[in-house]
Amino acid sequence: MPDRFKTVLLFGPPGVGKGTQGKLLGQIPGIKHLATGDMFRGLDKNSDLGKRIHAIMSTGALVPDDLTVELWQAHMKGLIDSGKFSPKTDLLVLDGIPRSAKQATALDPHVSVLKVLHLTCPKLDEMVGRMKKRALKENRPDDADEKVIRRRFDVYDQETRPVLAHYEKKLVADIDAMGTPIEVLSRVLNDLTPTYVKHFGNPLG
Ligand code: AMP
């Protein structure tokens, strides 16, 4: 793999809107969005690996760290080889990884983290509501079940939230994720744009 990827992390609890913001950012020339949840959901459900991972996801637990990092690296290689991500010219927006201290350490040699966009929402019921809605729309059966949802929040509190401390304080931007996608996007861009321009200039020349 080439030098470290210039990367922005989308960070926050389940249902806070990382995926929505990530997809919007991914529309911008020069930005590649990668969500590990989507990567896992894209695995062939009939393969042994796909079966194993879908079984873990359906409980709300995390896929084991080594396997996650290995698949992430292979996925990155695929994106580069197929020309979908150019490490020299593109910003990588990672959504849903790292989710544990071990993943954060394993990613360190591969990513240069320019910013951590920490989406926050004080209203648990709003996030749960979003998860239930998308469970139907996006075929995410794991998000329809109250017990699994609760487990996902517990996993976030115990394993993922502490990962924030892995990154320098000055890199972390707390962003209010309440409101409509366009309102949240405008807050995200407020924090992201100066960082992007500083490192990449104008991707269209
Ligand atoms: P998401 O689409 O981000 O909500 O992720 C859905 C599920 O995929 C999670 O509940 C985990 O089971 C699994 N997953 C996604 N990203 C990771 C990761 N970085 N490490 C471990 N498991 C993950």
Side-chain angles (χ1 to χ4, degrees), residues 14 18 35-38 40-41 53 56-58 60-65 68 95-100 103 134 140 142-143 152:
K18 300 185 295 295
T36 42
D38 293 341
F40 289 143
R41 276 184 291 276
I53 286 183
I56 297 169
M57 289 170 79
S58 69
L62 294 184
V63 175
D65 291 328
T68 298
D95 159 1
I97 188 169
R99 252 173 155 109
S100 68
Q103 289 181 20
R134 79 178 180 195
R140 295 182 178 217
D142 49 325
D143 283 347
R152 280 166 55 88

Side-chain angles (χ1 to χ4, degrees), residues 100-112:
S100 68
K102 207 171 157 198
Q103 289 181 20
T105 308
L107 254 58
D108 278 344
H110 306 291
V111 298
S112 161

Side-chain angles (χ1 to χ4, degrees), residues 123-140:
K123 289 195 180 160
L124 194 66
D125 52 343
E126 187 161 325
M127 292 188 283
V128 171
R130 288 180 186 178
M131 289 171 83
K132 285 186 173 167
K133 253 194 230 159
R134 79 178 180 195
L136 302 170
K137 257 198 351 215
E138 296 177 22
N139 190 25
R140 295 182 178 217

Side-chain angles (χ1 to χ4, degrees), residues 11-18 119-121 127 130-131 134 177-178 184:
F11 201 91
V16 79
K18 300 185 295 295
L119 299 181
T120 63
C121 174
M127 292 188 283
R130 288 180 186 178
M131 289 171 83
R134 79 178 180 195
M178 303 258 286
V184 181

Side-chain angles (χ1 to χ4, degrees), residues 20-143:
T20 301
Q21 293 303 315
K23 280 186 200 114
L24 288 167
L25 293 175
Q27 298 297 312
I28 298 172
I31 297 186
K32 178 67 194 169
H33 167 235
L34 169 60
T36 42
D38 293 341
M39 177 184 91
F40 289 143
R41 276 184 291 276
L43 292 172
D44 177 2
K45 286 194 179 75
N46 297 314
S47 67
D48 284 347
L49 181 66
K51 274 187 207 150
R52 184 176 158 209
I53 286 183
H54 282 99
I56 297 169
M57 289 170 79
S58 69
T59 68
L62 294 184
V63 175
D65 291 328
D66 292 347
L67 183 57
T68 298
V69 172
E70 211 176 283
L71 287 174
W72 173 76
Q73 278 189 273
H75 194 82
M76 290 306 308
K77 187 175 181 314
L79 290 176
I80 294 167
D81 290 349
S82 61
K84 290 182 182 144
F85 171 62
S86 159
K88 279 216 161 59
T89 54
D90 294 341
L91 170 69
L92 178 65
V93 172
L94 286 181
D95 159 1
I97 188 169
R99 252 173 155 109
S100 68
K102 207 171 157 198
Q103 289 181 20
T105 308
L107 254 58
D108 278 344
H110 306 291
V111 298
S112 161
V113 175
L114 309 179
K115 196 111 208 160
V116 181
L117 300 169
H118 176 214
L119 299 181
T120 63
C121 174
K123 289 195 180 160
L124 194 66
D125 52 343
E126 187 161 325
M127 292 188 283
V128 171
R130 288 180 186 178
M131 289 171 83
K132 285 186 173 167
K133 253 194 230 159
R134 79 178 180 195
L136 302 170
K137 257 198 351 215
E138 296 177 22
N139 190 25
R140 295 182 178 217
D142 49 325
D143 283 347

